[in-house]
């Protein structure tokens, strides 16, 4: 078994119409998976299936992936999709986030700061790569 593990997360389609679909996400995931596999990583793709793109599901996958890492392993986490900067913090946008129907934005978004998951990990190194489109929604001006 390899000690190089990768979690590759992509959110292409968003519910509610507030975020445009990102068809390039599927291409990005294919490309990064090929590169990681060629570099000896065991790759787990996640998120393109609409049932996997919910915020709590992505959050749980991130934390479970880090927590279950073998001692001394190297982890690579990749996210491709929409992102937001809100009140000084950066977030990944899950497929089920709809700013028009949410009051507690921070609870429904996924923080880019995954330090709690990394601290729980036995991995030697964790690389977190975010490829996020940050255009389209200003949470302070949602009507």
């Amino acid at each position: 078994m390899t000690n190089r593990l990768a979690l590759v997360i992509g959110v292409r389609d968003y519910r509610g119409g507030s975020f445009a679909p990102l068809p390039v996400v599927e291409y990005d995931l294919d490309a990064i998976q090929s590169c990681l596999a060629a570099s000896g990583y065991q790759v787990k793709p996640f998120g393109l299936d609409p049932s996997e793109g919910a915020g709590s599901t992505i959050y749980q996958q991130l934390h479970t992936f880090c927590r279950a890492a073998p001692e001394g392993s190297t982890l690579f986490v990749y996210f491709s999709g929409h992102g937001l900067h809100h009140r000084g913090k950066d977030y990944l946008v899950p497929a089920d986030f709809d700013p028009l129907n949410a009051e507690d934005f921070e609870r429904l978004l996924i923080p880019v700061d995954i330090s709690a998951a990394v601290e729980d990990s036995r991995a030697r190194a964790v690389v977190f790569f975010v490829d996020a489109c940050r255009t389209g929604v200003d949470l302070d001006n949602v009507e």
Side-chain angles (χ1 to χ4, degrees), residues 28-138:
D28 291 346
L29 263 55
D30 287 342
I32 197 76
Q33 287 179 74
S34 295
C35 291
L36 289 167
S39 298
Y41 279 85
Q42 180 181 345
V43 181
K44 177 181 181 180
F46 189 80
L48 280 180
D49 181 322
S51 68
E52 296 176 339
S56 63
T57 308
I58 292 173
Y59 181 85
Q60 289 171 8
Q61 276 295 313
L62 280 166
H63 284 264
T64 299
F65 180 71
C66 290
R67 193 172 35 254
E71 182 76 38
S73 58
T74 299
L75 304 183
F76 187 96
V77 179
Y78 175 85
F79 175 85
S80 181
H82 280 288
L84 286 172
H85 182 80
H86 180 63
R87 296 183 182 160
K89 294 183 182 177
D90 294 309
Y91 298 93
L92 309 177
V93 179
D96 60 347
F97 177 69
D98 183 359
L100 298 176
N101 295 311
E103 293 181 20
D104 188 4
F105 300 120
E106 291 85 356
R107 187 178 58 80
L108 301 171
L109 296 166
I110 303 159
V112 169
D113 179 0
I114 64 166
S115 58
V118 171
E119 289 173 11
D120 287 344
S121 182
R122 295 177 298 159
R124 177 179 45 86
V126 179
V127 176
F128 186 29
F129 187 93
V130 177
D131 181 7
C133 177
R134 289 180 21 168
T135 61
V137 174
D138 177 0

